[in-house]
């Protein structure tokens, strides 16, 4: 158990087990931290804040510094030094990547209405979400966030052959891997939801740690998920259950987690705000989704 929580013996076993799961890879976890906490608060954090937060998850200072250097080299973060302190912000070149991930996590497009088929798109690269299924023929779920390529676009729906449709979808999209990731997510966080339902109220540091782990594990499934029509995925596919669990826990953990952020996180202007218009919008979108 990370040092920050090892003396909190009153934590439910489910919470202890969740926080004690495998230590996240530093680079990927810092991306999660920026996407969930920093980006909606201006996108800049003090290195000391990064080190302290990652320490709660068993990530050492040396690993944090190495990971930040790699993110700078890859163009996702930019550093600035003021006196003896270093601050890192989201690089302009990485903003589209973070916006794309944020949309999937906090404001996903409605479920698809069948499929789209494009004919005659030529040599142009296909936009995200499309897969080639033959010579000059490609397929994508019919969702509002799917970009239409050049060519003849047709709408399609399955009239028969449900098992064959699932088998075909498995060939073209990584449904088995996505399903496994969602199952791991549900197995790890359903007990946490049960502990909250039984009256457990985590303090700020624990709430934030749980929320960061929640976002970290969920995004690895959600960003890979092609989000196909329900009749194109296996019957045991638990993407919908995982989504409902994510929304429920994010909303439950956020008041204490955001309060901790406002009290302890720093950028170059001082303490970052507990709430901003962007964080409130995320919560509003998730609340609306929870009521559907």
């Amino acid at each position: 158990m990370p040092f920050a929580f090892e003396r909190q013996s009153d934590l439910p076993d489910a919470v202890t087990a969740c926080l004690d799961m495998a230590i996240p890879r530093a680079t990927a976890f810092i991306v999660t931290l920026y996407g969930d906490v920093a980006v909606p608060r201006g996108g800049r954090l003090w290195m000391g804040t990064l080190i302290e937060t990652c320490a709660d998850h068993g990530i050492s200072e040396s690993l944090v510094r190495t990971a930040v250097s790699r993110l700078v080299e890859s163009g996702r973060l930019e550093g600035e030094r003021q006196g003896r302190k270093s601050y890192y912000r989201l690089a302009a070149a990485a903003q589209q990547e973070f916006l794309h991930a944020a949309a999937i996590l906090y404001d996903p497009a409605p479920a698809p209405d069948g499929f789209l088929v494009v004919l005659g798109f030529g040599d142009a690269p296909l936009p995200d979400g499309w897969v080639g299924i033959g010579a000059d023929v490609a397929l994508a779920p019919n969702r509002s966030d799917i970009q239409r390529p050049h060519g003849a676009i047709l709408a399609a729906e399955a009239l028969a052959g449900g098992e064959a449709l699932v088998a075909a979808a498995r060939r073209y999209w990584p449904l088995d891997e996505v399903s496994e990731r969602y199952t791991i997510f549900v197995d790890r966080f359903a007990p946490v939801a049960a502990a909250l339902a039984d009256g457990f109220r985590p303090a700020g540091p624990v709430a934030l740690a749980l929320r960061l782990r929640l976002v970290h594990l969920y995004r690895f499934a959600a960003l890979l998920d092609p989000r196909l029509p329900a009749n194109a995925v296996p019957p045991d596919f638990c993407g919908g259950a995982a989504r409902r669990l994510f929304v429920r826990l994010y909303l439950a953990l956020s008041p204490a987690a955001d309060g901790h952020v406002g009290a302890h996180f720093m950028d170059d202007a001082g303490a970052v705000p507990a709430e901003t218009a962007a964080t409130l919008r995320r919560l509003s979108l998730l609340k609306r989704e929870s009521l559907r």
Side-chain angles (χ1 to χ4, degrees):
M1 177 66 65
F3 175 77
F5 310 116
E6 66 182 5
R7 288 176 290 183
Q8 299 189 26
S9 57
D10 58 335
L11 294 182
D13 290 344
V15 173
T16 300
C18 184
L19 292 175
D20 209 20
M21 63 187 183
I23 295 173
R25 190 166 58 89
T27 303
F29 186 73
I30 290 171
V31 169
T32 296
L33 177 59
Y34 266 83
D36 186 54
V37 176
V39 169
R41 293 174 173 85
R44 191 189 304 257
L45 288 175
W46 173 44
M47 173 61 92
T49 292
L50 294 175
I51 292 170
E52 291 169 4
T53 305
C54 288
D56 288 344
H57 299 267
I59 303 172
S60 68
E61 178 177 345
S62 62
L63 285 176
V64 172
R65 293 188 182 278
T66 299
V68 168
S69 295
R70 288 174 177 167
L71 289 168
V72 170
E73 290 173 2
S74 66
R76 296 162 96 179
L77 292 181
E78 294 176 349
E80 179 181 322
R81 194 166 184 85
Q82 296 184 15
R84 299 179 64 182
K85 292 185 175 182
S86 296
Y87 302 89
Y88 292 87
R89 66 177 181 271
L90 181 66
Q95 288 181 7
Q96 195 58 43
E97 172 194 347
F98 277 76
L99 289 174
H100 171 72
I104 292 174
L105 293 175
Y106 309 108
D107 188 22
D113 181 18
F115 285 92
L116 296 172
V117 179
V118 61
L119 308 174
F121 57 88
D123 297 328
L126 290 167
D128 290 342
W130 289 85
V131 293
I133 61 172
D136 236 12
V137 182
L139 187 69
N142 187 4
R143 294 195 317 264
S144 59
D145 61 334
I146 292 291
Q147 181 181 343
R148 274 56 169 168
H150 294 295
I153 307 289
L154 311 177
E157 61 176 312
L159 300 178
E163 291 184 3
L165 177 61
V166 172
R170 273 187 157 128
R171 284 200 307 274
Y172 296 119
W173 287 282
L175 290 184
D176 291 333
E177 182 180 356
V178 174
S179 181
E180 181 181 3
R181 292 185 184 193
Y182 277 135
T183 299
I184 291 171
F185 173 82
V186 170
D187 288 347
R188 287 187 175 166
F189 283 96
V192 176
L196 292 175
D198 287 341
F200 172 62
R201 295 295 178 264
V206 177
L208 178 62
L210 285 170
R211 194 178 75 178
L212 287 172
R213 290 295 185 102
L214 180 84
V215 173
H216 189 70
L217 197 58
Y218 181 76
R219 78 178 179 90
F220 275 100
L223 296 185
L224 185 65
D225 187 357
R227 292 174 287 155
L228 302 179
N231 60 354
V233 298
D236 61 349
F237 189 80
C238 63
R243 179 65 192 174
R244 291 188 292 273
L245 181 60
F246 173 82
V247 171
R248 176 184 173 189
L249 282 175
Y250 195 95
L251 290 171
L253 294 168
S254 286
D258 288 336
H260 179 73
V261 169
H264 296 280
F265 277 47
M266 306 289 290
D267 63 14
D268 59 327
V272 304
E275 296 178 341
T276 65
T279 66
L280 292 174
R281 181 176 184 274
R282 285 183 177 181
L283 293 176
S284 176
L285 290 168
L286 292 175
K287 286 177 184 175
R288 187 183 310 164
E289 183 178 342
S290 73
L291 297 174
R292 292 176 193 161

